[in-house]
Amino acid sequence: MGGGKVLTNLHTHLDGMTVFSFAISKAPKSVKNLCERFGIDMESIDNFYFHQANMQLNETIRKKLGLPENKVPYSMKKFANSSCATIPVTMVTERREELSNTYQKNIGCAFGVGLSWGSVYFETDKIIVPELIEI
């Protein structure tokens, strides 16, 4: 017998509230765990880039982490939820000038498909950030 995909009750009954609860729980914990494990002071971070799911969800995550609005850029109004591209699209459209001209400390946190999540810390120093090309 070959391997197959096992579906659990969770997989067959995903709904908006389940996903919302998952995201507002896992994303802040993931960012906090990253910072604790590597001794990162959250106040020293210039930008927090989150997957752009929806404004209510993202604002809940921002508030749970106690982050000021100016450190959490959004591109949802322009591009909505563009899946895995939301973080780089937000970087290119909302922080292009800063990323091109200064050293920046950043945290990215993605969550979504299959109820997966992950966070990353990365530093940038005057990186080339091209303008977004819309087709």
Side-chain angles (χ1 to χ4, degrees), residues 119-130:
S119 293
V120 63
Y121 168 82
F122 60 101
E123 298 174 3
T124 58
D125 187 13
K126 299 180 184 177
I127 63 171
I128 297 171
V129 182

Side-chain angles (χ1 to χ4, degrees), residues 14-132:
L14 285 180
D15 61 34
M17 286 311 297
T18 301
V19 174
F20 188 89
S21 295
F22 162 81
I24 64 170
S25 169
K26 294 295 184 186
K29 285 180 188 174
S30 179
V31 170
K32 286 179 184 177
N33 288 341
L34 173 74
C35 291
E36 287 172 11
R37 173 133 190 216
F38 295 100
I40 300 166
D41 176 12
M42 285 185 27
E43 290 188 23
S44 73
I45 302 299
D46 297 299
N47 304 293
F48 291 83
Y49 298 103
F50 296 112
H51 168 68
Q52 309 281 298
N54 70 56
M55 191 59 93
Q56 182 180 6
L57 188 148
N58 283 67
E59 276 295 287
T60 301
I61 293 168
R62 182 186 68 77
K63 289 174 183 174
K64 281 185 115 175
L65 287 168
L67 303 174
E69 290 180 28
N70 66 322
K71 288 192 174 193
V72 185
Y74 295 122
S75 62
M76 278 184 272
K77 290 182 181 179
K78 297 175 188 168
F79 303 102
N81 180 350
S82 52
S83 188
C84 62
T86 59
I87 291 174
V89 165
T90 301
M91 291 175 68
V92 169
T93 61
E94 306 306 311
R95 292 294 197 257
R96 183 173 185 264
E97 188 68 29
E98 294 91 337
L99 291 169
S100 295
N101 295 305
T102 60
Y103 169 84
Q104 300 275 293
K105 292 180 180 181
N106 308 280
I107 287 183
C109 180
F111 46 87
V113 178
L115 298 183
S116 58
W117 69 95
S119 293
V120 63
Y121 168 82
F122 60 101
E123 298 174 3
T124 58
D125 187 13
K126 299 180 184 177
I127 63 171
I128 297 171
V129 182
E131 289 186 41
L132 182 67

